[in-house]
Amino acid sequence: MNAPHPPKVAGIDPTVPTPAHTVAPTPPAPDAAHAPDTALPVPSTPTPTGPGPGMLLQDRLAGWVSDLTTLHELTERLSATNALEPALQELLRAGSALVGARRGLVALEPGDGLGPRTTAGLGLGRADLGHLETVPRDALPHGTLLDAAGRGTGTHDGIAHPDLFAEDGLDPRHREVAARLGYAASYALPLSTRSAGHLGAAVWLYDEPAEPDERRRHLAGLYVRHASEHLARLLEVERTRARMATITEELLPSRLPRVAGVQLAARHRTSPRGGGDWYDALPLPDAALGLSVGSVTGSGPSAVAAMGRLRASLRAYAVMEGEDPVAVLSDLELLLRLTEPARSATALFAYCEPALRRVTLAGAGHSPPLLIGERRTEFAETSVSAPLGMLACWEAPSVEVQAEAGDTVLLYTDGLLHRTGDPMDRAFARLHAAAASIPRALRHDPEAVTDHVLRTVLPDGRDTADSPEDVVLLAARFD
């Protein structure tokens, strides 16, 4: 007879009881009606008074299998997370089930000092975390682990406080905060790996005096060890994304120029992989203004570097011959074909004369700009042209747009359309509808115009969600 499996821990039943032993059944007595008369009486078999060695081993194996199944399920759920915040929340939930606590927090403080530093709570609001921060760091169990790691004396063992209010020498502020938040015991574990070193610490809080038994501590230790490795990988990804975003932002204008007769605003959303979209606004001779947006193919560091080179080259060509946008893009196409023959790019350059409210532009495989006025919302009529680097010799005519006082010319990259997930015709219709729905009270402010278009075309936070596409909007409103 098989021993019953103990209940699992993974959110189903936080209790991990020791499996009950089974008792061997008594063999049935032979049927007296069918026994021969001359048969000798069968001696009765004594009923065992306790489990045999085989049953004990079977129960122990069943417990091990249950523990392994639980750890497998929990680590699978953790491995499915691909960002720090959900990974920290999953760590807290799984640890809470394993140690039998209801609340907890994790403090991420990488020992190399490169960040990011953050704190996440389970069952604790912002105000609760704020109260805990008022307790001296060395008086908190996870604070002790963090300080020990900072001094290079970190430990892999947990720190248990089974009854905080019964401890002598408990910090008065800690006693006050514990009473306010309603916890009476805690169990803390460090987060560290051999390769990445110290990452932080996690602590779980009990409502009543309690502490995890040896079995729970062992399971929690194994899980936290795996979680630390996963967090170390996510930290490296997060840092790489932050570096890529920083490099991209540094290659783009730190601020937009002030030019009489026109107001400018820009919005840029970088993809986590590091895309190659750019925008630029450059004062030119004769009180003119050059505007450009574009995108290079590919992603990652090489695409970002190519974007920086193209944008810098375009600025030089704009200063020399900006009044002829076709010539500017022709020079840029020649440079791209000679220096990076395996790469292509889309681009749009506009030569603006604010005093005349006149815009002369040329595009290379780029989406047409949108003209937003008091009585009209329409796409500028630009000729269909190939991206730069796609043909042996790029050619396209320029287009002249005459704006009125109060009109806004909106330039954008294809990432704005691609992030909608719609076919291109529907994406263009969505963009047009978003521009047409701008309230009149906001149309005088290009910052408000770009924000409205971005939120309307990409609702529900899709403008900031992870995506392989960059998003660029550049708005110029004529006085």
Side-chain angles (χ1 to χ4, degrees):
M1 179 175 179
N2 292 330
H5 285 210
K8 297 178 183 176
V9 183
I12 301 173
D13 183 357
T15 307
V16 191
T18 303
H21 300 307
T22 57
V23 179
T26 303
D31 189 352
H34 298 285
D37 295 339
T38 57
L40 297 175
V42 179
S44 60
T45 304
T47 302
T49 58
M55 292 299 177
L56 290 175
L57 178 59
Q58 189 176 11
D59 289 342
R60 183 172 298 179
L61 288 175
W64 289 344
V65 170
S66 177
D67 291 345
L68 289 174
T69 302
T70 296
L71 288 175
H72 175 73
E73 292 175 355
L74 294 177
T75 53
E76 282 288 306
R77 280 167 28 186
L78 179 67
S79 299
T81 59
N82 56 8
L84 273 178
E85 185 61 30
L88 294 177
Q89 289 298 325
E90 181 59 35
L91 163 64
L92 286 172
R93 283 193 293 268
S96 174
L98 289 173
V99 302
R102 188 171 62 89
R103 294 176 290 174
L105 68 90
V106 56
L108 198 64
E109 295 185 11
D112 55 14
L114 299 178
R117 295 164 64 100
T118 185
T119 301
L122 174 69
L124 299 171
R126 287 181 177 271
D128 300 331
L129 295 176
H131 286 307
L132 287 169
E133 289 178 356
T134 65
V135 179
R137 184 181 171 102
D138 58 357
L140 293 169
H142 65 286
T144 303
L145 291 174
L146 294 172
D147 289 341
R151 295 191 299 267
T153 58
T155 174
H156 290 282
D157 299 327
I159 296 179
H161 292 278
D163 191 349
L164 285 171
F165 298 106
E167 293 182 6
D168 295 331
L170 182 65
D171 183 87
R173 180 57 183 164
H174 191 188
R175 182 186 301 273
E176 180 183 347
V177 170
R180 175 190 286 266
L181 300 185
Y183 67 88
S186 65
Y187 182 64
L189 283 170
L191 303 174
S192 63
T193 68
R194 289 187 178 181
S195 57
H198 166 72
L199 300 178
V203 59
W204 290 273
L205 308 175
Y206 297 88
D207 297 342
E208 303 290 341
E211 65 176 316
D213 57 24
E214 183 179 353
R215 184 184 181 196
R216 288 178 179 271
R217 293 190 188 203
H218 179 64
L219 290 175
L222 292 175
Y223 177 79
V224 167
R225 222 172 298 168
H226 172 82
S228 299
E229 295 288 348
H230 185 64
L231 289 176
R233 290 189 290 270
L234 292 180
L235 267 175
E236 190 58 34
V237 172
E238 191 78 15
R239 290 171 176 175
T240 301
R241 290 179 174 179
R243 294 187 191 108
M244 290 299 303
T246 301
I247 293 173
T248 303
E249 293 300 329
E250 289 297 322
L251 290 174
L252 296 174
S254 57
R255 62 182 180 85
L256 295 173
R258 293 184 177 181
V259 178
V262 66
Q263 302 175 51
L264 301 174
R267 294 293 180 267
H268 180 230
R269 301 290 186 266
T270 307
S271 72
R273 303 177 189 176
D277 288 16
W278 84 81
Y279 69 93
D280 204 356
L282 178 67
L284 296 175
D286 301 325
L289 175 69
L291 302 176
S292 71
V293 293
S295 175
V296 301
T297 55
S299 62
S302 63
V304 173
M307 176 269 288
R309 290 191 292 268
L310 284 184
R311 173 179 169 267
S313 301
L314 191 148
R315 289 173 68 91
Y317 299 145
V319 170
M320 293 186 295
E321 47 193 0
E323 68 279 359
D324 186 356
V326 173
V328 172
L329 292 186
S330 295
D331 292 342
L332 192 65
E333 195 274 339
L334 179 60
L335 175 73
L336 181 67
R337 185 154 42 88
L338 293 177
T339 59
E340 301 187 59
R343 195 182 297 277
S344 63
T346 65
L348 187 145
F349 178 74
Y351 180 78
C352 303
E353 300 171 272
L356 302 176
R357 301 192 191 98
R358 185 167 60 199
V359 180
T360 306
L361 58 91
H366 206 83
S367 299
L370 191 59
L371 190 61
I372 306 170
E374 291 294 329
R375 295 180 296 275
R376 59 175 175 173
T377 300
E378 59 189 25
F379 291 101
E381 292 292 338
T382 57
S383 60
V384 178
S385 59
L388 303 176
M390 295 293 288
L391 301 177
C393 182
W394 176 84
E395 235 179 273
S398 61
V399 175
E400 188 173 295
V401 175
Q402 184 63 52
E404 299 178 3
D407 283 357
T408 297
V409 177
L410 182 66
L411 282 62
Y412 53 93
T413 58
D414 291 344
L416 177 66
L417 306 174
H418 292 157
R419 281 205 187 195
T420 64
D422 294 335
M424 290 303 288
D425 56 342
R426 293 182 61 186
F428 274 115
R430 182 193 290 264
L431 174 58
H432 186 277
S437 67
I438 300 174
R440 291 187 178 276
L442 302 180
R443 296 198 174 203
H444 68 282
D445 183 3
E447 299 279 352
V449 168
T450 53
D451 286 337
H452 177 87
V453 170
L454 197 58
R455 288 195 306 266
T456 307
V457 176
L458 300 175
D460 305 323
R462 279 187 288 176
D463 59 322
T464 57
D466 283 356
S467 171
E469 301 286 347
D470 280 9
V471 174
V472 164
L473 290 93
L474 178 60
R477 180 185 182 275
F478 292 92
D479 297 336

